[in-house]
Each structure stands twice: as C-alpha cells, then as structure tokens.
Amino acid sequence: MDSTPASSVDFDEVQLNSLGYKTSLHRTWHQLESFAASFCALDFIGTVRSVFFLGILAGGPAAMWSSYVITMIFMWISAAVLAEICSALPLSGSIYIWAAEAAGPKYARFIAFIVSFWTATAWMTFAAGNSQTTANYLVSLLPVFDIDISGGINNGNIKWRAIVWAVSEGIFLLSISMNFLPPRWYSNVFKFTLGVMAVDFLLNMIWLPIGVSRSYGFRSSHDAFLTTNNGTGAPAVWNWMLSFLFTSGTLVGFDASGHIAEETKNASVVAARGILSSAIATGILSFITIILFLFCTPPIDLWLTLGAPQPFVQIYALALGKGGAVVMTVIAVLGLVLNTSIAILAASRLIFAIARDGVLPGSHWVGQVTAQGQPQNAVTVMAVFGVLLLCTILPSSVAFTSLISAGGVPTVAAYGLIALLRLTQTPYDFKSSRFGLGKFKIPFYISAVLWNGLLVAVYVSPFTLPAGVIFGAVTLIAIVTWYVTPEDRWLRREHIKAMLEYAERPAESQLACPNSRCRVWAGNDVLQEVMHAIIIKITTIRWGLPCLIK
C-alpha cells in the first residue's frame, strides 16, 4: 500500500510544473528505489571484481587500497555537490540540466549540449560494455572445465569473438527486457538486486576465505598492503596514477538516482539523499571488498598466468573447486544482468529527457510515454544502440573496447564541470536546495573540480588513448550540434531562466507543503549538519552512516 501522503505527490507535481515540465512519468517509487538506482548501478561487488585485475597491473596492491581511500573521500565530496543541485532541480536525465543551470543563463544552453552528449555517451556505452563483462564470466567457465575452442581462447580468434558476441547480445537483451516491466514490478527488481548483491558479498566474505585457507593460502600483510607492480609499462609515478582507473571505476554513476527523480515521491529530498547515501555505502563496501580480495587472491605471478577473460572465475575454481566456481559465477552473472538493467533504466530516462527538450532526431516519438508513465520508446532506442554497438566485437574486440573505453571520461568530466560552474558562475544560487552545503560549499566545489580534473587526465592519458580520442570527438559533435540547432528547438533561454529563478527561491517559500516531511527538510542545510556529524564520528573512531540513510 502506498503510504506517502497525497500532499507530497502534489508538491512534486507543482514543483515539476514550476520548472517548466508537465507530469508524464509515473511517480510511485520511494527512498529504497532511489537509493537502489545508484547503489545497484554502481554494483560495488561486481565492479571491484571486474576491474580488480586492472588494479593489479597499475600499481599493484599498495596502490589499490591507498588510492581507493583518496578516491572514496573525493567521490563523496563530488556526490555531495551533485546532491545539492539535484535537490533544487529533481528532473529526469537531470545531470545536463544541473550543468546548464549551474552555468547561468548566458552559457546554459551551450553547456547543456556538451553535457547531454557526454552523459548519453557514457550511459549508453556502459550497458553494452557491462553485457560483455557479464559474458566474460560465463565463457570463463570453459577453461575451468577444460573445454577447448578451435583456434584458442583469445580475441584474435574469430570463433571465440563470435561466442563472446552471441552471449553478450543475449545478456543485453535480457537486461533490456526487464525495462518493459510495469513500475510496481520493477520496484521488485531493485529489491531483488539488493538481495543478490548481499548474498554475493556474504559468500565472498565467508566462503571464499574458508576455501583459500584450505587451498593456496592467504597473502601476508606485506603482500596485501605493500607489494607494488608495474604491468602497464608506464613510468613508475604515472603507473601509480593509473591505479585511479581501477578505484574510480567503482564509484562513477551515483547520479542515477537523479535520473529517476520524476518517478520518485518527495524527489527534492529523496533523489538527493539517494545520490549521497549510495556513494557512501558503495565506497565503504568496495573498500572492504578490496581488502578481502587482496588477502584472498593468489600471488601476482599466478594472476598473470590465468588465461580466462575473467580471472576471478579461475580463482574461485582454485579456492572452492569447480562446483564452487559455478555457483559464484552464476551469482556474479545474475548480479551483473540486474546491474545492467538498472543502468539501462537510468540511461533511458536521460534519453527521454533529451528528447523531451527536442534535440534528438525523432524526439516526438522518443519522448512519448506509455499509459503507465514509462518512456519505453527511449528504452527501445537504448536496445537498438546497444545491439549495434556489441556487433563491433565481431570484426575486432579492440574496436569494441575502444568504443566503451570512453564511458568513464564523460561522466567524471560532467561531475567536475558542474562543480567548476558552481564555483565560478553560481556559487550562491539554488537556495531552494534542501541539501545546502553551507560553509563546506567553496571547499567542496574546489575539491571536486581538482579531483575530477585529475581523473579526466588519467582517463585520457596516452596509455588509455582511445578514451581521449572518443571523448574529444563527442565534444566536437556536441559543439557542432549546438551551433546548427536553432535556439527555439532545445532549452530556450526563457525556460532556462525560469528554472533558475524557481531554484533561487528559498525552500521554505516555494510552496506551503502540508506534508510534515517536506516542512522538516525545507530550508535546512541538511548536508552541512551531516558533514558535522561525520567529522565528529571520525574523531571518536565511530562511523555515522546510519545518520545518512536512516
């Protein structure tokens, strides 16, 4: 039964109308779904496991855990910056709107084009890339059971690429199909995904150490914390910096809660809270997982001899036996399929929002919603794009990897750009935010700019060249599109100004919301209070996570 007072829904509708949009999407989701949208899209256990080998190559164990501490802190700061503006502008596909409004009326439309192209590239390529990652788990069972493939298990073998492609397409279509479920049914997908992630985490925490103790044994503290490795061929300092490719990969995508804001009740509070709480929970659990794997995985020399596309499948076989490897692989695959489905959900809302504003070819059709309030045409666009992108595996796995390598760059660039614009253009605007940063405002903006700028430099470095080339190409296309698109076709100046003016109203004066929850949050610098609580907890060696997600 829906326990949210009708007044909350009315407030959401009035707020959306005041921002210049009509209510068209269903609004039936709550805090759990908002949190799960980002937390499950990040998928801490699946992501750490999938990119762990990258960390082994770039810096080794010493860089992995130490770089993650840095990453965790600064990603939390970036999440706080986004939560602040999300609370003022809780809109579907909202990250490009946040960037536009942060730029102010003069540059808003230009920035909106840039960031919409960036984020669409990131989210749309992620779904296809994640499907191939999932396929790699399944096909990695073949060498575990000594099943040979004619021509060998390597990307130079067209038969092997065909197998990976076919499995990837099947996984992608399965993930897409779940996005056609009714909203109330999809709420169960969120809950089931959280359950799968919990089971996966607990089995790795309990069963894996037992298996390791009975097989090849744990790594020593020196091996787990102090060992270094240079598997990239980069100079020593830059090789260490490349470890941020691994650490940041586990914490990019917490903006997903914002993408479903128009489907969330009490969105100005719930969506912002979903962004921040999911980033904090993912950071803590990812760090625990990294430490666990550093003690439980074999020596680096053995890592380098594993021939499967996903080395963890063979590690599970070494520690738990073939049966254990099958169980852990099935759970990992199920989690990644669900993770991909939720990522598609977030991406489709972004596509819907861009189409609603009128810039995409066929925008009228793409921006349509069903009678149940779902943008299923936008999901169809995602399906067609993903199927075609996966086909590039067939001629060359390098071509496919190059295309999806740009997925992380646009997202962190958008995070940094929003912080930069808040710092330089609108530092004291968005008074309607219920997650005001208070006295942490300027330090947080500066930190987010420097941190995400560093990540962009790492992502586009010569050792990850395709990402930089594709990122530059996407940016150029966005600029050309902005230049040739008439102003009355997309995000008119009047609309931008109206949104900014509405977001400038103090929260307590926007609407007399009769829902007591609205009144409690309105006008309070909640995030400032939360940061004070965290600092107090840290200084007393106690963790204050419950105060964030209580």
Side-chain angles (χ1 to χ4, degrees):
M1 181 178 293
D2 184 6
S3 60
T4 303
S7 55
S8 176
V9 179
D10 295 340
F11 177 75
D12 289 324
E13 183 172 354
V14 170
Q15 183 181 44
L16 183 62
N17 293 342
S18 298
L19 291 171
Y21 295 101
K22 295 181 179 179
T23 299
S24 57
L25 300 178
H26 73 95
R27 197 181 287 273
T28 59
W29 290 338
H30 303 83
Q31 185 66 71
L32 177 64
E33 290 85 357
S34 180
F35 170 79
S38 290
F39 184 71
C40 297
L42 290 167
D43 188 11
F44 75 95
I45 183 72
T47 305
V48 169
R49 189 167 42 209
S50 298
V51 298
F52 194 83
F53 187 62
L54 179 59
I56 292 293
L57 293 175
M64 292 170 71
W65 71 266
S66 59
S67 294
Y68 196 82
V69 172
I70 298 171
T71 300
M72 186 166 57
I73 293 171
F74 283 99
M75 278 302 195
W76 289 350
I77 291 173
S78 298
V81 172
L82 262 63
E84 180 188 43
I85 196 168
C86 173
S87 179
L89 298 166
L91 298 167
S92 289
S94 43
I95 191 167
Y96 74 89
I97 295 292
W98 301 340
E101 296 300 321
K106 184 175 181 180
Y107 303 106
R109 191 167 174 274
F110 174 73
I111 294 297
F113 268 88
I114 300 294
V115 176
S116 64
F117 272 77
W118 283 356
T119 53
T121 299
W123 280 100
M124 292 178 74
T125 56
F126 173 78
N130 214 40
S131 297
Q132 190 213 30
T133 298
T134 310
N136 283 340
Y137 276 88
L138 285 175
V139 298
S140 292
L141 286 172
L142 298 178
V144 168
F145 287 91
D146 300 318
I147 299 175
D148 294 326
I149 300 296
S150 176
I153 299 176
N154 62 81
N155 290 328
N157 180 7
I158 180 61
K159 293 181 180 179
W160 174 254
R161 294 201 304 274
I163 293 173
V164 173
W165 166 76
V167 176
S168 300
E169 292 281 18
I171 288 170
F172 178 75
L173 292 175
L174 177 60
S175 299
I176 280 284
S177 66
M178 283 185 267
N179 278 269
F180 292 96
L181 293 172
R184 294 188 184 278
W185 287 25
Y186 202 90
S187 177
N188 293 323
V189 173
F190 285 125
K191 297 168 186 175
F192 185 64
T193 305
L194 289 171
V196 171
M197 291 171 65
V199 170
D200 195 355
F201 180 64
L202 290 175
L203 287 177
N204 277 281
M205 289 292 293
I206 299 170
W207 193 17
L208 179 60
I210 292 173
V212 169
S213 67
R214 295 175 177 176
S215 54
Y216 52 78
F218 297 105
R219 303 281 62 72
S220 67
S221 297
H222 179 274
D223 289 343
F225 290 114
L226 300 177
T227 306
T228 60
N229 183 53
N230 188 337
T232 65
V237 174
W238 193 250
N239 176 68
W240 189 285
M241 294 298 293
L242 289 173
S243 66
F244 288 117
L245 291 172
F246 157 68
T247 58
S248 65
T250 67
L251 273 169
V252 173
F254 44 72
D255 51 299
S257 297
H259 295 314
I260 66 165
E262 288 181 36
E263 297 161 271
T264 306
K265 296 183 179 181
N266 197 16
S268 60
V269 171
V270 170
R273 192 190 295 169
I275 289 174
L276 185 58
S277 61
S278 64
I280 292 175
T282 297
I284 294 171
L285 292 171
S286 293
F287 185 71
I288 294 171
T289 304
I290 289 169
I291 299 301
L292 170 74
F293 287 162
L294 287 176
F295 277 101
C296 289
T297 50
I300 293 176
D301 292 344
L302 181 56
W303 263 98
L304 299 176
T305 65
L306 300 177
Q310 176 42 256
F312 257 98
V313 174
Q314 290 179 303
I315 290 173
Y316 285 136
L318 292 172
L320 307 174
K322 293 181 178 180
V326 171
V327 171
M328 295 303 294
T329 300
V330 169
I331 293 173
V333 166
L334 180 59
L336 285 169
V337 168
L338 294 166
N339 160 237
T340 305
S341 174
I342 292 172
I344 291 169
L345 177 83
S348 64
R349 273 51 180 178
L350 173 65
I351 299 304
F352 159 77
I354 296 173
R356 177 175 62 180
D357 284 332
V359 74
L360 291 178
S363 288
H364 177 70
W365 179 81
V366 177
Q368 290 179 3
V369 299
T370 65
Q372 293 181 314
Q374 293 175 281
Q376 291 188 353
N377 291 347
V379 175
T380 301
V381 171
M382 283 288 301
V384 173
F385 180 85
V387 166
L388 293 176
L389 184 59
L390 284 167
C391 288
T392 60
I393 295 174
L394 290 172
S396 170
S397 62
V398 175
F400 176 75
T401 304
S402 297
L403 286 171
I404 66 170
S405 66
V409 190
T411 305
V412 296
Y415 294 169
L417 181 59
I418 289 171
L420 177 63
L421 294 169
R422 292 289 283 126
L423 176 67
T424 60
Q425 301 297 316
T426 54
Y428 303 107
D429 293 348
F430 303 104
K431 295 181 179 65
S432 66
S433 175
R434 292 167 170 81
F435 272 69
L437 294 174
K439 66 181 181 181
F440 296 101
K441 183 186 298 286
I442 301 303
F444 273 30
Y445 295 159
I446 294 173
S447 298
V449 170
L450 296 177
W451 166 248
N452 288 286
L454 172 65
L455 287 185
V456 170
V458 172
Y459 272 102
V460 302
S461 71
F463 294 94
T464 56
L465 183 61
V469 173
I470 295 172
F471 177 62
V474 169
T475 304
L476 181 60
I477 292 171
I479 294 172
V480 172
T481 306
W482 163 78
Y483 183 77
V484 300
T485 303
E487 186 173 336
D488 60 355
R489 285 280 306 279
W490 197 64
L491 281 185
R492 300 183 311 278
R493 187 180 298 272
E494 297 79 14
H495 187 191
I496 293 168
K497 186 177 180 180
M499 281 194 285
L500 188 59
E501 289 175 351
Y502 179 81
E504 269 300 278
R505 301 182 196 172
E508 61 270 19
S509 67
Q510 282 192 359
L511 176 69
C513 176
N515 179 6
S516 60
R517 288 181 61 195
C518 293
R519 292 199 301 271
V520 168
W521 285 87
N524 293 328
D525 281 340
V526 177
L527 193 56
Q528 183 176 349
E529 297 172 11
V530 168
M531 293 307 302
H532 278 300
I534 290 176
I535 292 171
I536 292 171
K537 293 291 185 181
I538 290 175
T539 56
T540 56
I541 320 179
R542 294 165 58 194
W543 182 248
L545 179 61
C547 73
L548 289 168
I549 60 176
K550 184 176 179 180

